[in-house]
Amino acid sequence: MSDLNKLTISAARDAMRKGELTSVELTEACLDAVDQSSALNAFVHKTPEYAREQAKAADARRGSDVPSLNGIPLGIKDLFCTKGVPSQAASKILDGFKPEYESTVTSQLFDAGAVMLGKLNMDEFAMGSSNETSTYGNAVNPWRRGNDDSALTPGGSSGGSASAVSADLCLAATGTDTGGSIRQPAAFTGITGIKPTYGRVSRWGIVAFASSLDQAGPMTKDVRDAAIMLQAMSGHDPLDSTSAEIPVPDFEAALTGDIKGKVIGIPKEYRMDGMPEEIEKLWSDGTAMLKDAGAVIKDITLPHTKYALPAYYVIAPAEASSNLARYDGVRFGHRAKLAQGDGITEMYEKTRAEGFGPEVQRRVMVGTYVLSAGFYDAYYNRARKVRALIKRDFETVFADGVDAILTPATPSSAFALGENFDPIQMYMNDVFTVTVNLAGLPGVSVPAGVDKQGLPLGLQLIGKPWEEAELLNVAYSLERAAGFVAKPAAWW
Amino acid sequence: MSIDTDTARRVAKLARIKVEDDALPALAQEFGAILGFIEQLNEVDVDGVEPMTSVTPQRLKRREDVVTDGSQQAKVLANAPDAREGFFAVPKVVE
């Protein structure tokens, strides 16, 4: 077999089960690909010794003991704490931090037999939509516009994960999604990414950004792989008080491709002014594909959609300002050099000014402002009320018989690195994805076409709470109909 | 909404982030732009709506009030920028 790193999880799993492939061979192919990928800046801490050890252990497992991801090489977003391996959320303030513990998600993946190739680039503390706020520098999209060699963003915040999976450096990667950080980068790089229902995957050991919105999920080469990997990541964890005690169904077994009679909602509020024609066309093509597959298409309304981004930019910074208070130069990471006579307040202030990048500082301060005395009701409480209305919008359409909702994943294809948007223009990237986090729903981005410049575009499907199995089946049907097989031409 | 430099200074202080005086006007302007964006929320009729406290309706799980962890002093201190004699060390706080 050649180009082993290009395999999907399911293909590699099946080949290993038949004895046609070993994890050591597969892992070496990925390690080679990683070594040749420095121009993408996706892997920021490589763990080859660790990977080789895990691959050997995987090859030693035989028979009925072989778990679901046995010997599958993965990349892990830098936001996940991995024992003894740098885990710094792409922030300078966590320089040198090596956790003494393993996150629940990575523990579960390793228990399922997975191999870790290293840690992946991201926006600092997952705050960004272009991977440009990282202390490691930009991750780069393997896709380019035609013959134009300008570097494009892989999206964010899980930009390194998206770049690595799209460029076949690993078979799949973990991502996290607070406002769109799995689905937007997946759409920008032609891969699949699912954010599960809030509470499906444990947040323990994942560096916190906005705790009521954060969820981890898989970023994979196809829908089947997303089902396999999500299965391994999911389940109740007593260490996360918001983790749900709900049985995890067999997601892969749900992929029948039969969606006859399923009702797919098309929300009119997602048809935005100035939406590029290509996005509009992708969306109507996707609608037609689901209809051809036997689904019933229904026009729906989600009236508070417009207020999702402003509500998000109150709630997420508010929670971030509280979560990031722990970075004080005392217990871990960076501490500023102090001048003669500096006290503890100067230590905090200098440490945080040096350690946090501009976007993180901005959000921490906005969060501090909206929570401060006199503004708490006007901003924070109002945003939480609007959030309740956004959730109610979804509950209403689901109660009316809608099984899943189809929308574009992003308002554009990947843009160039360094385009220097102002913060609010950058926030608009999440306009189609952020509602899903506010309502705690599962959402999946599926690659569905390319634009005139040859760049991938994604469609998003939104499901009912805890119905990831049904959602993935609709995504599987869409994937088969769209037949997206394009890959970026290797230039790196 | 316009934010003055005094407000920007106060917010930076509350957030414990050192911002030099000459950077305050630009910061105030950025806050103003972001708060202007947020102010769209004032258009929404929220009368009688309860602020969301939990996105999934669930009660926080309870457990026995017993010690389940501990005695990991070395691990707790392993990543400290300055740890001495089993403690985190910080600049003098009490005169």
Side-chain angles (χ1 to χ4, degrees):
Chain A
M1 267 191 255
S2 64
D3 291 340
L4 298 175
N5 49 307
K6 295 187 178 171
L7 293 173
T8 58
I9 292 176
S10 62
R13 172 192 68 185
D14 296 349
M16 282 193 279
R17 280 182 185 167
K18 283 187 217 150
E20 296 165 359
L21 173 68
T22 66
S23 175
V24 168
E25 292 165 341
L26 183 61
T27 301
E28 289 299 336
C30 290
L31 289 172
D32 279 349
V34 170
D35 278 340
Q36 288 160 30
S37 71
S38 54
L40 297 174
N41 199 24
F43 275 89
V44 289
H45 299 287
K46 300 177 192 175
T47 54
E49 298 82 15
Y50 204 81
R52 289 188 175 109
E53 221 170 274
Q54 287 177 316
K56 264 186 226 150
D59 285 336
R61 290 183 201 111
R62 287 276 179 272
S64 57
D65 296 342
V66 175
S68 66
L69 291 173
N70 196 47
I72 301 293
L74 303 177
I76 303 296
K77 188 176 181 180
D78 201 36
L79 204 63
F80 292 80
C81 286
T82 44
K83 191 175 179 180
V85 174
S87 306
Q88 63 181 94
S91 181
K92 187 180 168 192
I93 210 159
L94 279 171
D95 262 350
F97 178 58
K98 288 185 183 172
E100 294 287 333
Y101 50 87
E102 192 71 46
S103 78
T104 297
V105 165
T106 46
S107 291
Q108 288 187 195
L109 290 171
F110 297 154
D111 287 346
V115 171
M116 175 169 73
L117 298 166
K119 303 299 283 289
L120 293 164
N121 207 344
M122 54 179 283
D123 279 296
E124 184 181 7
F125 284 108
M127 297 179 193
S129 302
S130 64
N131 210 117
E132 288 171 291
T133 69
S134 167
T135 189
Y136 309 117
N138 302 338
V140 178
N141 195 327
W143 291 82
R144 286 175 164 178
R145 295 172 181 146
N147 295 322
D148 177 350
D149 62 5
S150 36
L152 304 181
T153 178
S157 70
S158 310
S161 304
S163 175
V165 174
S166 173
D168 292 314
L169 311 184
C170 49
L171 273 64
T174 59
T176 61
D177 191 316
T178 303
S181 284
I182 286 176
R183 291 159 287 155
Q184 182 253 22
F188 278 8
T189 56
I191 66 168
T192 302
I194 180 167
K195 181 206 91 75
T197 312
Y198 184 82
R200 179 63 95 184
V201 173
S202 170
R203 293 179 296 108
W204 195 82
I206 302 173
V207 174
F209 162 14
S211 304
S212 79
L213 301 160
D214 297 341
Q215 267 292 287
M219 300 175 71
T220 59
K221 295 177 191 180
D222 65 16
V223 173
R224 181 172 299 280
D225 284 7
I228 297 168
M229 190 166 158
L230 180 59
Q231 184 92 39
M233 294 170 75
S234 298
H236 177 248
D237 177 11
L239 297 175
D240 172 0
S241 62
T242 61
S243 154
E245 259 184 302
I246 290 180
V248 182
D250 186 334
F251 295 132
E252 191 183 6
L255 304 181
T256 61
D258 179 8
I259 59 161
K260 276 188 200 71
K262 293 286 173 197
V263 179
I264 306 297
I266 309 293
K268 68 174 185 192
E269 290 80 8
Y270 284 61
R271 187 158 282 117
M272 315 212 70
D273 288 344
M275 188 153 94
E277 216 173 281
E278 291 170 312
I279 303 278
E280 187 105 38
K281 182 170 184 310
L282 181 83
W283 193 14
S284 54
D285 287 352
T287 308
M289 288 173 205
L290 293 176
K291 195 175 175 194
D292 286 348
V296 179
I297 305 301
K298 183 176 178 182
D299 287 323
I300 59 168
T301 175
L302 298 166
H304 295 91
T305 298
K306 180 184 163 194
Y307 301 105
L309 267 179
Y312 176 84
Y313 276 97
V314 175
I315 292 165
E319 295 186 18
S321 74
S322 171
N323 274 326
L324 272 59
R326 72 190 70 174
Y327 305 103
D328 55 6
V330 175
R331 286 158 294 168
F332 29 64
H334 178 77
R335 176 186 291 189
K337 280 209 170 49
L338 301 182
Q340 195 68 33
D342 276 352
I344 196 158
T345 305
E346 287 80 11
M347 183 194 75
Y348 295 149
E349 292 180 344
K350 288 184 177 178
T351 295
R352 290 161 65 80
E354 286 177 12
F356 291 147
E359 181 63 23
V360 173
Q361 291 193 21
R362 186 154 43 232
R363 295 204 200 182
V364 167
M365 288 193 272
V366 167
T368 302
Y369 182 80
V370 299
L371 291 176
S372 63
F375 299 103
Y376 186 92
D377 251 339
Y379 290 110
Y380 184 62
N381 269 345
R382 175 165 281 267
R384 290 196 300 140
K385 289 177 184 177
V386 172
R387 184 177 180 185
L389 292 172
I390 288 166
K391 183 170 182 240
R392 194 185 292 171
D393 284 353
F394 283 105
E395 285 167 349
T396 305
V397 299
F398 290 137
D400 283 350
V402 167
D403 294 300
I405 297 165
L406 182 74
T407 78
T410 56
S412 73
S413 59
F415 49 88
L417 288 162
E419 270 190 28
N420 283 325
F421 294 114
D422 72 41
I424 291 164
Q425 282 174 308
M426 191 61 95
Y427 299 166
M428 294 306 287
N429 266 288
D430 291 336
V431 66
F432 299 134
T433 48
V434 73
T435 51
V436 174
N437 301 76
L438 290 169
L441 303 171
V444 58
S445 172
V446 180
V450 291
D451 70 2
K452 282 196 285 285
Q453 309 173 97
L455 296 177
L457 296 170
L459 286 170
Q460 172 179 240
L461 284 157
I462 303 167
K464 293 185 274 196
W466 315 113
E467 298 285 347
E468 289 91 349
E470 182 176 358
L471 178 67
L472 283 163
N473 188 39
V474 180
Y476 180 62
S477 173
L478 180 65
E479 174 186 63
R480 290 208 299 192
F484 182 91
V485 289
K487 294 290 281 185
W491 53 263
W492 56 90
Chain B
M1 169 134 186
S2 77
I3 296 286
D4 56 29
T5 52
D6 281 345
T7 306
R9 183 184 290 115
R10 197 175 72 243
V11 172
K13 184 76 192 172
L14 283 172
R16 297 289 183 273
I17 296 174
K18 185 173 175 58
V19 178
E20 300 295 344
D21 277 351
D22 58 3
L24 286 172
L27 185 66
Q29 207 179 354
E30 273 180 10
F31 284 169
I34 293 170
L35 293 173
F37 176 67
I38 291 168
E39 260 159 33
Q40 292 177 67
L41 295 176
N42 292 332
E43 298 166 14
V44 186
D45 178 3
V46 294
D47 274 0
V49 180
E50 281 298 309
M52 185 188 283
T53 49
S54 171
V55 74
T56 46
Q58 59 174 219
R59 284 174 63 88
L60 280 184
K61 215 175 142 61
R62 296 178 180 197
R63 66 164 175 82
E64 288 299 306
D65 185 13
V66 290
V67 176
T68 58
D69 205 346
S71 303
Q72 304 192 40
Q73 191 184 37
K75 284 185 176 184
V76 168
L77 294 172
N79 279 288
D82 190 1
R84 296 177 212 171
E85 298 167 41
F87 293 94
F88 294 110
V90 294
K92 201 161 130 182
V93 197
V94 184
E95 290 301 324

